[in-house]
Amino acid sequence: CPGAGCWGGRAGGGVRCYTGMANAVNGAGLRTGGEGRETADSDLLGLQDLGPGSVASLRESLGKKPA
């Protein structure tokens, strides 16, 4: 369910996040949770609309501790 409320795939299988976070990661070309896990925090922080709290929340949703 790309867009409002989730990111990273099919309905029920996406990562729950705010629309702004989903738009930021989608705009950067990240389409799956695995791609998000592999992306460095510094790269995520460089995306518009993602701050330290958003990256920490995304990391928690993806099951990876912030670096």
Side-chain angles (χ1 to χ4, degrees):
C1 54
C6 72
W7 163 70
R10 49 200 150 74
V15 174
R16 299 292 298 166
C17 62
Y18 294 104
T19 301
M21 290 170 58
N23 290 341
V25 294
N26 282 326
L30 302 173
R31 300 289 180 231
T32 67
E35 290 174 342
R37 275 189 289 279
E38 298 301 318
T39 303
D41 286 2
S42 59
D43 292 336
L44 292 173
L45 287 168
L47 300 177
Q48 186 174 355
D49 296 329
L50 285 188
S54 296
V55 171
S57 176
L58 186 61
R59 291 291 183 214
E60 184 178 332
S61 296
L62 294 172
K64 180 179 177 181
K65 295 185 190 274

